[in-house]
Amino acid sequence: MPAPAHVEPRLLRAFVTVAEELHFTRAAARLHIAQQALSRDVRRLERELGCELFVRSTRRVTLTADGERLLPYARAVLQSQDDLLAAAGQSRPLLVDLNSPGLGTHREVLHRARERAPGHELMARYESGLTWAAGELLAGRLDASFGRFAGLAPAVRAGLDQQPVRYEPMAVVLPEEHALAGLPEVPLAALAGETVYAGAGNTRTEEWTDLARRLFDGRGIALAPPVPLAVGEEEFQRVMARTRNPILAVVGFPPLPGTVSRPLVEPVPLSPVSLVWRKGMIHPALTELRRSAAEIAAARGWLRRPADSWIPAADADVMGAHPMSRC
């Protein structure tokens, strides 16, 4: 069969989405279409190309050799289309991961970008942690995220770009009846002997758990063992209420019933936050997102470190592209 003179981008997007998910139901949900319509589009593309792209069974979906061969070309065509639409000012929505609905730094940057670029759609997503979001960025399912860039594996960082946004002071969330809850600030030394929750076992937030390990090392603070993965604020509150462990957080972490949040001091531990996106990505709304982050960081002094602060050397190197002045 001769090659078709034209292939609709919609059909290519259906093919790429199924290839990434290897599951028609999940792919249809991502595209916001019915599964039957998605299957019809994939079959039509196979007919037009004259080859089978997937092997389907009742238990799994896999790419054929032809599907593997054509996938990078389909992605390149779709990226070119996105670039063309962006250049024409008709870009698709920019998908921005805010990690969690309650984190103020990320939300503030997104809101400023929306004000700066009312003609573009910036859509919030909540992927919980940068470790998970980084894979979504590299796969093209997300456009930007926030988090601790130095906590990612070098091979992952190689495919991403980042812009330092903030050194967030860290805090500890304590049960109201905890002996340290009455203090206005909690010295790190006062946590010696405590078992503190920092997301151990959550594969989405490994960069945060790694930061906690580095902070706790040599200070007599134990990392709480994994708990069942809680999705949503209500479930997280329920699980934490049962364990009653202190929780490592950042200043401004959303309040939980029956708890108090106290800044950590002596030294002040910092959580480094970067804006992260896929290397080489072009989208006019990303430019506005980066400008917004830089504007707010400069106005708020987000990239100034307190004199008595702690941050791992690897993170200082990543954030070092911006001068670090002292408060």
Side-chain angles (χ1 to χ4, degrees):
M1 176 182 294
H6 171 74
V7 175
E8 290 184 32
R10 186 188 84 255
L11 305 184
L12 292 178
R13 199 169 297 280
F15 162 56
V16 169
T17 305
V18 175
E20 289 172 348
E21 295 290 347
L22 293 179
H23 195 283
F24 275 76
T25 301
R26 290 197 299 267
R30 265 183 59 189
L31 294 170
H32 305 289
I33 62 174
Q35 183 178 338
Q36 186 177 19
L38 176 62
S39 298
R40 186 166 56 246
D41 282 347
V42 171
R43 287 293 190 192
R44 177 181 163 188
L45 180 63
E46 289 176 324
R47 287 196 303 271
E48 291 185 3
L49 295 178
C51 61
E52 190 177 37
L53 301 173
F54 297 100
V55 176
R56 307 156 176 84
S57 72
T58 56
R59 301 185 62 181
R60 60 186 301 203
V61 176
T62 57
L63 279 163
T64 64
D66 283 332
E68 291 275 8
R69 181 173 57 85
L70 293 174
L71 181 58
Y73 295 98
R75 282 177 168 150
V77 169
L78 293 175
Q79 184 62 57
S80 295
Q81 183 194 36
D82 288 344
D83 294 345
L84 175 63
L85 292 174
Q90 300 174 5
S91 60
R92 61 174 176 78
L94 188 78
L95 303 181
V96 184
D97 170 41
L98 303 185
N99 303 148
S100 173
L103 297 178
T105 296
H106 314 165
R107 188 172 63 250
E108 188 170 350
V109 172
L110 177 62
H111 287 179
R112 174 69 63 86
R114 285 171 172 167
E115 292 171 356
R116 289 182 57 105
H120 296 292
E121 184 66 76
L122 291 90
M123 298 291 296
R125 295 288 186 269
Y126 302 98
E127 295 294 342
S128 181
L130 185 59
T131 298
W132 180 268
E136 300 295 283
L137 291 171
L138 293 174
R141 292 188 286 266
L142 274 180
D143 298 314
S145 185
F146 293 86
R148 180 181 169 236
F149 192 70
L152 301 176
V156 174
R157 295 201 304 265
L160 301 171
D161 273 329
Q162 65 95 25
Q163 174 180 316
V165 174
R166 185 178 185 182
Y167 295 103
E168 281 195 303
M170 297 168 74
V172 62
V173 178
L174 301 161
E176 288 177 334
E177 69 276 9
H178 195 280
L180 300 175
L183 298 177
E185 300 174 326
V186 174
L188 271 171
L191 289 177
E194 296 281 352
T195 298
V196 180
Y197 177 75
N202 185 348
T203 57
R204 290 175 172 259
T205 59
E206 290 176 355
E207 77 288 348
W208 176 254
T209 305
D210 175 71
L211 183 64
R213 286 195 183 96
R214 293 169 185 262
L215 178 63
F216 297 168
D217 186 38
R219 291 188 166 93
I221 308 170
L223 184 67
V227 299
L229 180 61
V231 178
E233 182 177 332
E234 182 177 344
E235 283 297 283
F236 180 75
Q237 291 175 1
R238 185 181 63 81
V239 171
M240 290 298 100
R242 188 171 68 244
T243 65
R244 307 306 290 166
N245 285 322
I247 304 168
L248 187 67
V250 293
V251 171
F253 186 79
L256 302 176
T259 69
V260 297
S261 179
R262 297 291 182 256
L264 290 169
V265 293
E266 299 177 15
V268 176
L270 301 174
S271 170
V273 178
S274 290
L275 172 62
V276 184
W277 63 94
R278 188 170 57 257
K279 189 165 288 186
M281 196 188 112
I282 300 171
H283 195 296
L286 176 62
T287 301
E288 298 305 328
L289 193 68
R290 294 183 61 189
R291 287 174 178 165
S292 298
E295 283 180 3
I296 299 174
R300 300 288 188 84
W302 279 356
L303 290 170
R304 292 198 299 266
R305 286 175 54 183
D308 179 24
S309 64
W310 171 93
I311 188 174
D315 293 88
D317 289 342
V318 164
M319 303 289 280
H322 289 242
M324 293 183 298
S325 57
R326 300 290 182 176
C327 293

